[in-house]
Amino acid sequence: MEETISQFDIGTTNATILIEDCNGNTIICTTLAYIEDCDAPQLTCPDNFNLTADENCEASITWDPIDVYDNSGDILTVECDFDNGTLVTTGDYSIECRVQDSTGNNGTCEFNVVVTGSYY
């Protein structure tokens, strides 16, 4: 007996089932299958890091692009609490980034940035 399993895209698709017994009798059945996406997108934020402020007690928070994976294959746009390159003063900053796929599943990640004063 041979078994073939296909991977289906998210959404509604035709699924054909062929059954054959040991005597060679076969039956074919076609049905609609609804494949639901219940998996949240996965984000990988940068590690926590520290910055030293300039003489005006400010620093620009910058990071590499956030890695995103989603089983839908869609191109997803990540939004974070701060824009990349935001100018901030000394302090501790928790930055949450989030994304939503086309079926409404949400993914988040978070990293911390500490900006310390510079001493001239």
Side-chain angles (χ1 to χ4, degrees):
M1 183 169 122
E2 183 179 318
E3 182 178 322
T4 303
I5 306 276
S6 297
Q7 183 174 351
F8 298 107
D9 291 330
I10 296 168
T12 303
T13 189
N14 285 321
T16 302
I17 302 168
L18 169 68
I19 301 172
E20 182 177 348
D21 67 15
C22 59
N23 295 317
N25 300 310
T26 60
I27 187 169
I28 297 175
C29 175
T30 300
T31 187
L32 286 177
Y34 178 72
I35 310 303
E36 185 176 1
D37 176 10
C38 298
D39 296 332
Q42 297 177 13
L43 289 83
T44 304
C45 275
D47 292 333
N48 299 334
F49 61 94
N50 299 322
L51 294 172
T52 302
D54 62 16
E55 63 275 358
N56 297 319
C57 295
E58 297 176 326
S60 178
I61 300 177
T62 59
W63 59 86
D64 291 333
I66 307 294
D67 291 328
V68 181
Y69 169 77
D70 188 58
N71 61 352
S72 70
D74 295 339
I75 304 296
L76 303 176
T77 302
V78 177
E79 294 183 8
C80 297
D81 293 336
F82 291 86
D83 290 332
N84 199 347
T86 297
L87 191 63
V88 297
T89 58
T90 56
D92 297 345
Y93 298 90
S94 176
I95 301 174
E96 182 181 81
C97 298
R98 60 209 151 269
V99 68
Q100 185 177 66
D101 67 16
S102 58
T103 57
N105 298 311
N106 297 300
T108 62
C109 69
E110 186 176 324
F111 62 102
N112 296 300
V113 179
V114 177
V115 179
T116 56
S118 58
Y119 304 98
Y120 290 94

